[in-house]
Amino acid sequence: MYRNLRWKIPLIALVLLGASWLSYPLEEKINLGLDLQGGMHLVLEVEVEKAVETSLERLADDLKRDIDEKDIEADRILALIEESGLKIALLDEDDAAAVATLISERYPFLEKQASGADKLALVYHLSSDQVKRIHENAVSQGLETIRNRVDQFGVSEPSIQVQGERRILVQLPGIKDASRAINLIGKTARLEFKLLDEDNSIQSALAGVIPEGSEILHERVVNRETGVVEKEPHLLKKRAVLTGDTLTGAIVSYDSDFNEPYVSLTFNSIGAMLFQQITRDNVKKRLAIVLDNTVYSTPVIQEEIAGGRAQITGQFTTEDARDLAIVLRAGALPAPVTILENRTVGPSLGKDSIQKGIESIIMGGILVVIFILVYYKLSGVIANIALVLNIVLLLGALAYFGASLTLPGIAGIILTVGMAIDANVLVFERIREEIRIGKTVRAAIDAGFAKAFRTIVDANITTFIAAVVLFQFGTGPIKGFAITLCIGIAASMFTAVFVSRTIFDSVMSARKIEKLSI
């Protein structure tokens, strides 16, 4: 027995057992892609105009703070949503030059509109480049936020990509609860903390007399006994004292009295400092926790709260609380999204595709096995053993990496089968050439594997590079094809070269062979 067989055979057995254990049973271990098992296909449109609106409101707050720092007297600063601009109402006409200097230094993307008759009213517009930049950022940030939410939701091999200027394509294989997934993806998740306007009457506000700087938002209240959902109105200060931008964590916790789930929040150092200051300055006042313009709770601040922790209660189910924690951790969408297309791919298409894919693999495999047996005789048996092991390794690797098997992935498996056999053909033809020139069987096998090795490596490396490029720049099914091809190449190198050579060596060490059946 050759000395190196003492470690080669156990290594091959270990790899094969591991691959078999990883991939069995196939229906549980191998993830199927959207085209095979069905799932959700969504096309979302980002409302980029809302992103501009939010930017203008934030810009108005920042500009007001900067004007106050410069001791400039301004009556008010209004965001002109439809005109994509700001209106600054001054108390003194002489302050116009100071405001212009301030804006040119800190807000160069604001363009001044020609002054009208009213010298106390300054109007600035966002430049077209800035508006375009806000639109692009809204789509790219929305893409990343949705991707984070889907990743935390636990969907395997999702496809999320930008389509056109403002659309996002989302494909989620295997999703069965469509409404829950849509709610998770489409929630803007804009978290705000707002003080209640307790100086004015909610009844007057409901009658139409809403004080300036205040707004009416509703809290969703579920009756514990009847289950009836009611909306309780609250009069809130319109300006948020703290937002979710400073949030660092959101986890599901449970109330010790009623065992009801709630979401526990933690803030970063800046958020913790602001939260402590807010609670210190507003003891005995009510602070509303608002998510997407819906009030979740309005607790009374009993004392100053340090440590940067808060919680959202709202009679959640565990599933609701978990999804809320996910969207808060993933961050808010920069702008709301509208669902333009919502399709659920049925399982019938997947079953049909799987059946045809399996049939093509079986038919192709049988033809290849028969041809190899006829053409290379007993040596063809070794090639066929390597071929079967190659598929086992490929399935094990797919299961280990959690990669999804797609219809293009099946095509990748078929291509890999051809490449694995091609490697054996290269080796066997070199062995034949060595036998024809009169070498012994042992010498012919050594020379055949040595001469074919470089050719096999060269061919597989170039294909592997192409597969890596496909994986890097491709999306969805193309990635599935690239993954299958990469794994298949590595597996075929192992089986066609290493395993085949080990089998030849084992046979040669077991008995003396004068003539090789090849």
Side-chain angles (χ1 to χ4, degrees), residues 63-220:
L63 186 57
K64 185 175 188 309
R65 186 171 55 251
D66 290 342
I67 285 178
D68 290 340
E69 287 179 0
K70 293 285 185 182
D71 290 331
I72 300 172
E73 293 186 359
D75 184 23
R76 66 181 66 180
I77 300 175
L78 298 175
L80 307 174
I81 305 301
E82 294 183 358
E83 294 86 355
S84 298
L86 296 172
K87 182 178 180 180
I88 306 166
L90 299 174
L91 294 175
D92 188 342
E93 188 178 333
D94 294 337
D95 289 332
V99 171
T101 303
L102 171 67
I103 289 178
S104 64
E105 290 176 351
R106 301 188 182 181
Y107 307 94
F109 48 83
L110 287 176
E111 298 174 345
K112 187 177 181 183
Q113 191 181 36
S115 301
D118 187 359
K119 300 297 181 185
L120 292 177
L122 305 178
V123 177
Y124 285 83
H125 285 169
L126 290 172
S127 66
S128 57
D129 288 343
Q130 182 67 12
V131 172
K132 182 181 178 184
R133 194 173 299 119
I134 293 172
H135 287 181
E136 292 174 347
N137 287 341
V139 176
S140 60
Q141 289 177 18
L143 180 77
E144 288 305 315
T145 303
I146 290 173
R147 180 170 289 146
N148 288 337
R149 291 180 184 180
V150 171
D151 287 346
Q152 295 190 41
F153 191 53
V155 179
S156 176
E157 296 275 331
S159 175
I160 305 169
Q161 55 187 300
V162 174
Q163 245 187 7
E165 295 183 351
R166 58 170 63 187
R167 293 184 180 180
I168 297 175
L169 170 67
V170 181
Q171 291 184 329
L172 306 176
I175 287 293
K176 295 180 176 61
D177 192 345
S179 59
R180 185 184 173 199
I182 290 173
N183 186 48
L184 180 79
I185 293 172
K187 193 187 287 289
T188 306
R190 175 71 178 168
L191 179 65
E192 298 171 302
F193 292 81
K194 296 183 175 183
L195 289 167
L196 269 71
D197 184 355
E198 297 177 283
D199 297 329
N200 295 287
S201 166
I202 181 65
Q203 284 73 24
S204 300
L206 290 172
V209 186
I210 302 176
E212 186 177 343
S214 298
E215 62 182 347
I216 296 175
L217 295 179
H218 293 83
E219 179 179 359
R220 183 174 173 273

Side-chain angles (χ1 to χ4, degrees), residues 486-504:
C486 288
I487 295 173
I489 289 170
S492 69
M493 286 289 292
F494 179 76
T495 56
V497 179
F498 187 79
V499 175
S500 296
R501 178 62 188 270
T502 303
I503 295 175
F504 270 113

Side-chain angles (χ1 to χ4, degrees), residues 150-338:
V150 171
D151 287 346
Q152 295 190 41
F153 191 53
V155 179
S156 176
E157 296 275 331
S159 175
I160 305 169
Q161 55 187 300
V162 174
Q163 245 187 7
E165 295 183 351
R166 58 170 63 187
R167 293 184 180 180
I168 297 175
L169 170 67
V170 181
Q171 291 184 329
L172 306 176
I175 287 293
K176 295 180 176 61
D177 192 345
S179 59
R180 185 184 173 199
I182 290 173
N183 186 48
L184 180 79
I185 293 172
K187 193 187 287 289
T188 306
R190 175 71 178 168
L191 179 65
E192 298 171 302
F193 292 81
K194 296 183 175 183
L195 289 167
L196 269 71
D197 184 355
E198 297 177 283
D199 297 329
N200 295 287
S201 166
I202 181 65
Q203 284 73 24
S204 300
L206 290 172
V209 186
I210 302 176
E212 186 177 343
S214 298
E215 62 182 347
I216 296 175
L217 295 179
H218 293 83
E219 179 179 359
R220 183 174 173 273
V221 181
V222 181
N223 189 306
R224 292 180 185 276
E225 297 179 354
T226 63
V228 175
V229 179
E230 298 176 348
K231 288 188 174 181
E232 181 182 349
H234 294 285
L235 185 61
L236 309 176
K237 298 285 187 184
K238 190 177 288 185
R239 186 172 183 177
V241 292
L242 183 64
T243 67
D245 297 341
T246 57
L247 208 63
T248 58
I251 60 173
V252 178
S253 302
Y254 290 87
D255 178 74
S256 57
D257 296 329
F258 300 101
N259 197 32
E260 289 185 343
Y262 64 89
V263 179
S264 181
L265 308 175
T266 53
F267 298 97
N268 62 19
S269 57
I270 297 175
M273 183 184 66
L274 289 172
F275 194 65
Q276 184 175 2
Q277 182 181 341
I278 292 164
T279 53
R280 182 177 61 232
D281 297 342
N282 296 282
V283 174
K284 300 302 178 187
K285 293 183 179 178
R286 295 171 72 189
L287 181 68
I289 301 174
V290 183
L291 184 71
D292 292 346
N293 289 330
T294 297
V295 178
Y296 274 73
S297 55
T298 56
V300 178
I301 302 172
Q302 299 293 350
E303 58 184 356
E304 176 182 339
I305 302 174
R309 293 183 179 277
Q311 61 187 46
I312 301 177
T313 57
Q315 299 177 341
F316 301 116
T317 64
T318 300
E319 199 172 72
D320 290 340
R322 178 175 173 268
D323 289 350
L324 179 58
I326 287 175
V327 298
L328 289 174
R329 283 198 302 269
L333 289 174
V337 293
T338 303

Side-chain angles (χ1 to χ4, degrees), residues 31-34 150-151 154-160 171-173 401-406 471 476 479-480 483:
N31 297 318
L32 300 180
L34 183 68
V150 171
D151 287 346
V155 179
S156 176
E157 296 275 331
S159 175
I160 305 169
Q171 291 184 329
L172 306 176
F401 290 111
S404 291
L405 182 62
T406 61
F471 179 79
K479 276 194 171 184
I483 290 173

Side-chain angles (χ1 to χ4, degrees), residues 19-78:
S20 302
W21 180 75
L22 286 171
S23 59
Y24 182 81
L26 284 176
E27 58 272 22
E28 294 181 8
K29 298 295 182 65
I30 302 294
N31 297 318
L32 300 180
L34 183 68
D35 52 352
L36 295 182
Q37 67 167 324
M40 287 190 63
H41 172 99
L42 296 173
V43 178
L44 310 172
E45 183 173 73
V46 182
E47 297 178 23
V48 292
E49 293 80 10
K50 290 288 184 183
V52 176
E53 182 179 330
T54 304
S55 297
L56 282 173
E57 291 173 348
R58 191 173 300 166
L59 194 59
D61 290 340
D62 294 342
L63 186 57
K64 185 175 188 309
R65 186 171 55 251
D66 290 342
I67 285 178
D68 290 340
E69 287 179 0
K70 293 285 185 182
D71 290 331
I72 300 172
E73 293 186 359
D75 184 23
R76 66 181 66 180
I77 300 175
L78 298 175

